[in-house]
Amino acid sequence: MAIINDRELHEECGVFGAFGIPDAATLTYYGLHALQHRGQEGCGIVRVKNRVFKRIKGEGLVTEVFNEENLTTLNGDMAIGHVRYSSNDKGGIENVQPFLFMHNTGDFATAHNGSVVNAVDLKKRLEDNGSLFHSTSDSEIFAHLVKKESNDQDRLNAIIDALNQIEGAFAFLIMTASKIYACRDKHGLRPLSLGKFGDGYVVSSETCAFNVVGAEFIRDVEPGEVVVIDKNGLTSVDYTKDKHHNICSMEYIYFARPDSDLEGTNVHTFRKKTGKLLFREAPPIEADVVIGVPDSSLSAAIGYSEESGIPYEMGIIKNRYVGRTFIQPSQELREKGVRMKLSAVRSIVNGKRVILVDDSIVRGTTSRRTVRMLKQAGAKEVHLRIASPLITHPCFYGVDTSTYEELIGAKFKDKLEKIKESIGADSLAYLSPESLYEAANNNCELCLACFTGKYPTATYQSIHDVNKI
Amino acid sequence: MAIINDRELHEECGVFGAFGIPDAATLTYYGLHALQHRGQEGCGIVRVKNRVFKRIKGEGLVTEVFNEENLTTLNGDMAIGHVRYSSNDKGGIENVQPFLFMHNTGDFATAHNGSVVNAVDLKKRLEDNGSLFHSTSDSEIFAHLVKKESNDQDRLNAIIDALNQIEGAFAFLIMTASKIYACRDKHGLRPLSLGKFGDGYVVSSETCAFNVVGAEFIRDVEPGEVVVIDKNGLTSVDYTKDKHHNICSMEYIYFARPDSDLEGTNVHTFRKKTGKLLFREAPPIEADVVIGVPDSSLSAAIGYSEESGIPYEMGIIKNRYVGRTFIQPSQELREKGVRMKLSAVRSIVNGKRVILVDDSIVRGTTSRRTVRMLKQAGAKEVHLRIASPLITHPCFYGVDTSTYEELIGAKFKDKLEKIKESIGADSLAYLSPESLYEAANNNCELCLACFTGKYPTATYQSIHDVNKI
Amino acid sequence: MAIINDRELHEECGVFGAFGIPDAATLTYYGLHALQHRGQEGCGIVRVKNRVFKRIKGEGLVTEVFNEENLTTLNGDMAIGHVRYSSNDKGGIENVQPFLFMHNTGDFATAHNGSVVNAVDLKKRLEDNGSLFHSTSDSEIFAHLVKKESNDQDRLNAIIDALNQIEGAFAFLIMTASKIYACRDKHGLRPLSLGKFGDGYVVSSETCAFNVVGAEFIRDVEPGEVVVIDKNGLTSVDYTKDKHHNICSMEYIYFARPDSDLEGTNVHTFRKKTGKLLFREAPPIEADVVIGVPDSSLSAAIGYSEESGIPYEMGIIKNRYVGRTFIQPSQELREKGVRMKLSAVRSIVNGKRVILVDDSIVRGTTSRRTVRMLKQAGAKEVHLRIASPLITHPCFYGVDTSTYEELIGAKFKDKLEKIKESIGADSLAYLSPESLYEAANNNCELCLACFTGKYPTATYQSIHDVNKI
Amino acid sequence: MAIINDRELHEECGVFGAFGIPDAATLTYYGLHALQHRGQEGCGIVRVKNRVFKRIKGEGLVTEVFNEENLTTLNGDMAIGHVRYSSNDKGGIENVQPFLFMHNTGDFATAHNGSVVNAVDLKKRLEDNGSLFHSTSDSEIFAHLVKKESNDQDRLNAIIDALNQIEGAFAFLIMTASKIYACRDKHGLRPLSLGKFGDGYVVSSETCAFNVVGAEFIRDVEPGEVVVIDKNGLTSVDYTKDKHHNICSMEYIYFARPDSDLEGTNVHTFRKKTGKLLFREAPPIEADVVIGVPDSSLSAAIGYSEESGIPYEMGIIKNRYVGRTFIQPSQELREKGVRMKLSAVRSIVNGKRVILVDDSIVRGTTSRRTVRMLKQAGAKEVHLRIASPLITHPCFYGVDTSTYEELIGAKFKDKLEKIKESIGADSLAYLSPESLYEAANNNCELCLACFTGKYPTATYQSIHDVNKI
């Protein structure tokens, strides 16, 4: 029984919060459901009612962990929630968020999306000062940093102090008995947006959740900002002056839902534009059909088709009923052509010259399989067009790009020909970093570390170690 | 807790069989998974091994009912399987197929997709002759018609005899200890195709399952044909000379997976063509974007976009993680804009004149909701384009079009203006029946009964009754 | 993962019915729960409401298959239910009762406890006349025998006719839209009792269910009797004049709950008396403590203790939390002494001469294990006293005594010494058949076939075959 | 759906540990299963393998949380486990033990049975010094007290230091990468015993688990002792000189399994003796049968029967198949006599004068229900005999005796007549505290606080508060 994991890249988690809204937990349920693509391994919701915290969390999808019966017990007008991705080796219910902490100065809950690069150092220091950790999550570190203050004003100062000690990429929600604090890292690597719902407020990793719950988008939480949401509305505090708009480009390229807006640019629109730019940049090629790899590459494929005039077709289909667990085809069946998720449409690709648009290549395994599948279905030629640059460096901000050695772009650096051969495509082209900027309307700087090795944050030993390999 | 049911039209079931293939049940598992869109309420597989039948069936998706442990117990080189759609009122595990019958002349299993129009009469006659029914399924009738013969040749004659007594739409699989019989109704209303897998054979309601398991398409089972699959390969017998190619047009328009081929025409290609023809036929309209209702209308929308030159955008998103059960938003939350499955993308439709392409309108409820959702997201105009004709008559061949009175096309017959108003669209246009033929390459007649009232089969009392209403 | 099966003897099933009682299905739930010891593999309830039948059934315990949500859907004032034991090889949801049959003369449901000895012949004849079987259960045969009549009076005649064709041991409930028919085999092999609950009636395999639901015991259904329960109350019909009171002695010795009364004798009282008689009959022995094997032998052990004056102690404990599934200790752990269900109490048996009272010996495996366990816990001597005679013949009436060869009493017939040695006891004694009669107050004849080979029913080929071995 | 909770008194938890034993977690599974009566709400096991900790825990019974698949992943030769009872209001997976803590000086796990009376003060002080709590469990406090030391010798000192700060009743297991520390409170309120299994060691809340896994009892952990179990065997350290043998008398009377030995006295033997003493002490009464309330009062009832010569009968039966969840009978059905767990046996009690032996009375509700049930089944007289003294004071050591006001013995103090009337018994007698000592062979002092109000530990504000009420 395999746990579904159909993406080569993984990011950790999505967060959602609701304040001043009747049945805030129910709204959070719908919000998390809209963020489910950011993490399918576990989820949880904490609500506050009359200053009492109550949490339900579990492993599985939002629709699996929550049901009408248990959701009903989470009534109250404040809630935060979390969806979690976890690699197999560091799972377990204790890492499923939100975390809930008991303290004589006031209980609090936290939910966190991202990655703290100086976690090891911080943890050691905290333990030396009396902390004891239950989980391996970075989120718990943050809780220990902010725990000690005894009144609401002090709490904000403690949070600001804590945020200044953390280096990394994150969107952070902290809920006390009366407030939700929404924090975003100073590089703006992870997205976090504010919305209005009736008389209350919502905060979400992506704006798609606002579309789903019918909330009105207000604005993004700014890099380096803490937004305090309480009965007085929204209060903004900058926890640092060192602020940047380096949103992770993979959010645009791959992670985010196409109906989300990041830094003011719609993700589908971004992707469609990368498809158009890809056509313009890449060497011209004669072809019969343009095909995208579902689902994240469809927008780019449509853009390529519109720009090139080559018709867009559904040459690859994704099964909509792949549940969270399924029976993996055996090696023998895979070789005979049994496929669980993606299948090529013979009557569309047979005898055709195919432009295959994909969003990115990580290890190359998936691309190789996809190209082979198209050829087995009769495609005469398969020209692979990647709507992002070559990934050459690992990510330290929560994107699970496996190890450095596994990156096909690191192995075969500057050697497009070898990658093309390894994958079995008839031609291969990547998008330039410049075009990514253009697709994002040049209104943010974007983090391109995985393409360029230029990491926006201070670098730590662990990072150097990995880079040296 | 609602059971997911996001389609206004329902058809009953899909079938898959495998003969002469090691681990035939496992292949059937993947085949059924590819047919999951045809029925999500229940599923089952029966295998034969050394003449012993073993069945596992259950309520739920293929990935829910089967796991490695129970699938392993179904080893053997012959199997048939079934996915079932059931309306709420006639559910229950006893109606989940395949059925398995014990008989001193040889046990046998059956799986069936479709609807028998003379079921009531047949059942009465069979009961008078000693039959006793466990289920309300038409499939059991068929089993009683063929049960009595004692050797393989007689069995075939019994099946032929039985098929001639049945009036309706069906694809039928019968598995004895040594053979699979694949039968298709004489009107060809339901699809059924044959494929080759290694040294063995597969048979499936749709060819998409062949793409998924890596089988090679041989040909469709013909209307009025019984194909006997056994150790001698394929043997074809016509059970009647009265044969027609009236495949259900809704299979093209809505039910089938876009990667299936029906009567030689790919479904996505068909739909894309309807989109193109729809643009040509419908009154010209100025618009900014073309949007399709996911998933079944996306191909038509892309066709419309290609033909019109108006860009295709992802203005409506479907949540991929809607499980089989979920918590329905309360009326209050729905009014506030909370949506579970489809959401409009504000940044794409805001201020835009939208061409909304949908495959069909049944009761109109969904269309009304979709149009309202787009307007709430800021769409300036919504022009609804339906890639099929107006549905005016109920179906008696397994498509659940609700009752006659509920059909918005029956209520407001020939009154497009009223339907447009009821739905709240700024304009409305349907495709002509002629264009459906053209989209199907004019190589089959298509059953258009739901659009025209011309039923291809003999009509029975129950049909007349309904028509009169 | 093992399915619990802690008994060497198995009987198939228990039945319960309720008529004229609001929420009859809920009462049936509690009734079945009280009969759970008669079958743990599956259970089901069918109710009638306004002539409409509805059924829920499943594999597992009553508390696993039913919950408040699904039980609520079974409202109505008539219901029958069933708990099922099944050996591993003939399981499956299709054999779980009650069965529900659709027929134009009126639907009906059946629930059945027992075994039909002429099943093979009947099935063949029925199939020749048009019957088709879904299950391997004897219960379905009976349904086919009674199906054809079209009015209520005819139905009774059909039932009487059917009962006269069946040879075997059974308690049978048939529920039509307006009546429950309660039938008992003419030998009275299986128990079935009638009770009053408010203005309505209940019928149950054992009277313990009456204690549990607060019903008042009326009387047993008599051997060869059909009791019709309908709005006119109870109507009694004898379907044959050939009637006997040969209740299965194993019902007293082992199967029934101690709080049930069979043929007017309480089961605990019966067992206690066998303990007393066992002391009187068996050779006198010096001992320190009397211990019973939980749970079925505790009454006999207490009787032995009272009669002998040797104190009764809890020297063997049964874990109350053995669920339906558990992890079987590996062979290695078993050898090291790991036990899941029964454990000896060292501080009670250490250094003691133990009288170990058990109800019966089938294959001898369990007795051997129990004796060894006591010795490992320090028992100086273990004197095994069996509160029933030596089992020498297989049963054909629903008691699963394994095959003839496996019976230690068949293998070592008349060789008590060899059985004693094989089991490792220091002495061994059985009860005489006469004492069984005495314990039952001599008011019924008892079936002693497994002890004597004298079968009360006509014998069929299959029986002879087995006996010859 | 009710969660089963058929006891009026509750204690929190049981612990089991295994060191130096292949597949220590599997042995712990069987050990916990033997301790299941001490807690059914949740359970967990942590193992160490090559210094790596791995935990599985969950809500439910041992047989529900663990299966062969997940237990297999816990291989290794050290493990500790826990079964948990939790009142409904403070449940949740975060309180299910063992706890597992990450620390740079070495990870460790803890499992704990009992109650810390100075928890509030300790928690405040720890939080002021940097601790942050995830759960409401006392066990976490202990972990924070011991966390800081960096080598094994220091660890022992830290544990000793921590134990001296805790006031209360407890058995505590701490597992580091190489050792298990087994600690018992200085009053000896909770039991904890050591056993030998092959070349390794086991430690358990009750010795019944040794019987079950085939381990050899070595000795009890002494009050105020820490036993260090590591590759050098057992090392004993007294953490205090202030040591007492005040084992909780309720362990004997009610909690422990009858096959456990506490402080050298077998629990069944203790109970049987209380039954004998109860007969001698209580006013003589003419009666026909002695009946015990299953399961905890059966030993005392047998003792009473043996001493009085009045026959012991099974007049009340407990259903063995009450699962963890079941459908509670409605008020209406309860009034009609529907019972889920206990039922009276009419044929045994009808017309009889009954001695009903019960172990204790807390709120009186259960006794009242039981007496009424016997009278409804026809008992002429019911004489209630309680095999322990009148409970007049709440417990602060982990026994959930509800609030002070709910104690029928507190309300009606010294007013036996009123309790008798309230319960509806024909006579009522309690055992004297002196007889409890005698039953325990006078070899320990016993904690009788709930009978006498004399608490063995220092008393804290909270205790005074409750007493004053």
Side-chain angles (χ1 to χ4, degrees), chain A residues 80-321:
Chain A
I80 64 173
H82 190 264
V83 289
R84 169 177 168 78
Y85 161 75
S86 84
S87 61
N88 289 336
D89 43 15
K90 47 177 181 170
I93 187 71
E94 56 267 27
N95 277 344
V96 177
Q97 302 185 36
F99 289 130
L100 182 52
F101 300 95
M102 315 293 157
H103 206 268
N104 62 69
T105 64
D107 298 348
F108 63 99
T110 64
H112 157 257
N113 162 27
S115 199
V116 173
V117 294
N118 58 339
V120 173
D121 294 352
L122 284 174
K123 219 161 183 173
K124 173 75 172 66
R125 203 187 77 213
L126 282 163
E127 287 179 349
D128 290 347
N129 287 316
S131 288
L132 191 55
F133 290 94
H134 285 246
S135 74
T136 56
S137 165
D138 293 349
S139 194
E140 206 181 344
I141 295 172
F142 190 78
H144 280 262
L145 288 172
V146 302
K147 74 193 159 192
K148 272 167 284 188
E149 308 312 321
S150 59
N151 62 46
D152 270 357
Q153 189 47 47
D154 288 350
R155 179 84 71 177
L156 178 55
N157 289 334
I159 289 169
I160 289 171
D161 187 47
L163 290 167
N164 277 300
Q165 297 175 58
I166 289 178
E167 189 66 73
F170 57 83
F172 231 117
L173 299 185
I174 304 155
M175 181 168 66
T176 66
S178 61
K179 296 179 200 298
I180 292 175
Y181 300 85
C183 321
R184 192 167 166 217
D185 72 78
K186 62 187 176 187
H187 311 283
L189 283 155
R190 293 284 150 251
L192 189 63
S193 301
L194 293 165
K196 186 123 194 64
F197 184 89
D199 297 332
Y201 296 93
V202 288
V203 53
S204 172
S205 282
E206 289 185 34
T207 64
C208 64
F210 298 162
N211 292 333
V212 163
V213 303
E216 194 184 332
F217 173 76
I218 300 176
R219 64 171 178 89
D220 292 336
V221 176
E222 285 296 301
E225 183 187 15
V226 180
V227 176
V228 188
I229 312 174
D230 61 13
K231 61 174 197 270
N232 302 316
L234 305 179
T235 312
S236 169
V237 184
D238 285 350
Y239 70 82
T240 178
K241 302 235 176 272
D242 177 25
K243 300 163 65 170
H244 310 274
H245 278 272
N246 299 134
I247 193 163
C248 165
S249 50
M250 272 296 164
E251 291 279 353
Y252 277 116
I253 295 164
Y254 182 71
F255 296 133
R257 252 175 65 156
D259 51 338
S260 288
D261 299 335
L262 300 173
E263 302 275 349
T265 299
N266 171 261
V267 170
H268 160 72
T269 307
F270 173 99
R271 291 179 186 166
K272 198 169 161 186
K273 200 156 178 187
T274 59
K276 287 174 185 269
L277 296 169
L278 185 57
F279 171 73
R280 287 189 222 152
E281 279 187 350
I285 201 90
E286 296 233 331
D288 304 303
V289 290
V290 176
I291 284 172
V293 179
D295 290 325
S296 50
S297 309
L298 299 185
S299 298
I302 289 165
Y304 194 104
S305 165
E306 277 191 22
E307 193 70 13
S308 66
I310 305 170
Y312 168 84
E313 301 293 348
M314 290 191 181
I316 300 177
I317 294 288
K318 184 171 180 176
N319 192 317
R320 295 293 167 220
Y321 297 95

Side-chain angles (χ1 to χ4, degrees), chain A residues 288-294 297-298 300-302 304-305 310-317 343-345 348-350 352-358 370 373-374 379 381-385, chain B residues 268:
Chain A
D288 304 303
V289 290
V290 176
I291 284 172
V293 179
S297 309
L298 299 185
I302 289 165
Y304 194 104
S305 165
I310 305 170
Y312 168 84
E313 301 293 348
M314 290 191 181
I316 300 177
I317 294 288
S343 51
V345 187
I348 285 179
V349 303
N350 192 18
K352 299 284 171 54
R353 295 165 301 175
V354 173
I355 305 279
L356 176 65
V357 179
D358 204 351
T370 311
M373 181 173 77
L374 287 170
E381 297 170 14
V382 178
H383 302 278
L384 186 55
R385 293 295 173 267
Chain B
H268 160 73

Side-chain angles (χ1 to χ4, degrees), chain C residues 46-340:
Chain C
V46 179
R47 71 89 167 100
V48 171
K49 187 187 177 186
N50 301 332
R51 307 187 69 84
V52 176
F53 289 71
K54 184 166 164 55
R55 173 174 64 176
I56 291 168
K57 66 174 191 173
E59 295 178 89
L61 299 177
V62 172
T63 52
E64 293 170 336
V65 170
F66 293 97
N67 51 55
E68 266 180 297
E69 202 182 332
N70 67 15
L71 197 53
T72 304
T73 68
L74 291 182
N75 59 336
D77 63 359
M78 286 173 71
I80 63 172
H82 191 264
V83 288
R84 169 176 168 79
Y85 160 75
S86 85
S87 60
N88 289 336
D89 43 14
K90 46 176 181 170
I93 187 70
E94 56 267 30
N95 277 343
V96 177
Q97 302 185 33
F99 289 130
L100 182 52
F101 301 94
M102 315 293 158
H103 205 267
N104 61 66
T105 65
D107 298 348
F108 63 100
T110 64
H112 157 257
N113 163 28
S115 200
V116 173
V117 294
N118 58 336
V120 172
D121 293 352
L122 285 174
K123 219 161 183 172
K124 172 75 171 63
R125 204 187 75 212
L126 283 163
E127 287 179 350
D128 291 347
N129 287 315
S131 289
L132 192 52
F133 291 93
H134 285 245
S135 75
T136 57
S137 165
D138 292 349
S139 196
E140 206 182 345
I141 295 172
F142 191 78
H144 281 261
L145 288 172
V146 303
K147 72 195 161 191
K148 272 168 284 189
E149 307 312 320
S150 59
N151 62 47
D152 272 356
Q153 189 47 48
D154 290 348
R155 178 84 71 178
L156 178 56
N157 289 335
I159 289 170
I160 288 171
D161 187 48
L163 290 166
N164 278 299
Q165 297 175 58
I166 290 178
E167 189 66 72
F170 56 83
F172 232 117
L173 300 185
I174 304 154
M175 181 167 66
T176 66
S178 60
K179 296 180 201 298
I180 292 175
Y181 300 86
C183 321
R184 193 166 166 217
D185 71 79
K186 61 186 176 187
H187 311 282
L189 284 156
R190 294 284 151 250
L192 190 62
S193 301
L194 293 165
K196 186 123 196 64
F197 184 89
D199 297 332
Y201 296 93
V202 288
V203 54
S204 173
S205 282
E206 290 186 34
T207 64
C208 66
F210 298 162
N211 292 331
V212 163
V213 302
E216 195 184 332
F217 172 75
I218 301 177
R219 64 171 178 90
D220 293 335
V221 175
E222 285 295 301
E225 184 188 14
V226 179
V227 176
V228 187
I229 312 174
D230 61 14
K231 61 174 198 274
N232 302 316
L234 306 179
T235 311
S236 168
V237 183
D238 284 351
Y239 70 82
T240 178
K241 303 237 178 268
D242 177 26
K243 300 164 64 168
H244 309 275
H245 279 271
N246 299 133
I247 192 163
C248 165
S249 50
M250 273 296 164
E251 291 279 353
Y252 277 115
I253 294 165
Y254 182 71
F255 295 133
R257 252 176 65 156
D259 52 336
S260 288
D261 300 335
L262 300 175
E263 301 276 346
T265 300
N266 170 261
V267 171
H268 160 72
T269 306
F270 174 97
R271 290 178 187 168
K272 198 170 159 184
K273 200 156 176 185
T274 59
K276 286 174 187 268
L277 295 169
L278 185 56
F279 171 73
R280 284 189 224 152
E281 278 186 351
I285 200 89
E286 296 232 332
D288 303 305
V289 290
V290 176
I291 284 172
V293 179
D295 290 326
S296 51
S297 309
L298 297 186
S299 300
I302 289 164
Y304 194 103
S305 164
E306 276 191 21
E307 192 72 12
S308 65
I310 306 170
Y312 168 84
E313 301 293 348
M314 288 193 182
I316 299 176
I317 294 289
K318 184 171 179 176
N319 193 318
R320 295 292 166 222
Y321 297 95
V322 173
R324 208 168 55 88
T325 59
F326 59 93
I327 306 172
Q328 198 74 264
S330 65
Q331 181 57 27
E332 196 188 338
L333 282 180
R334 268 203 302 272
E335 274 164 23
K336 283 181 178 159
V338 174
R339 277 156 206 113
M340 194 69 188

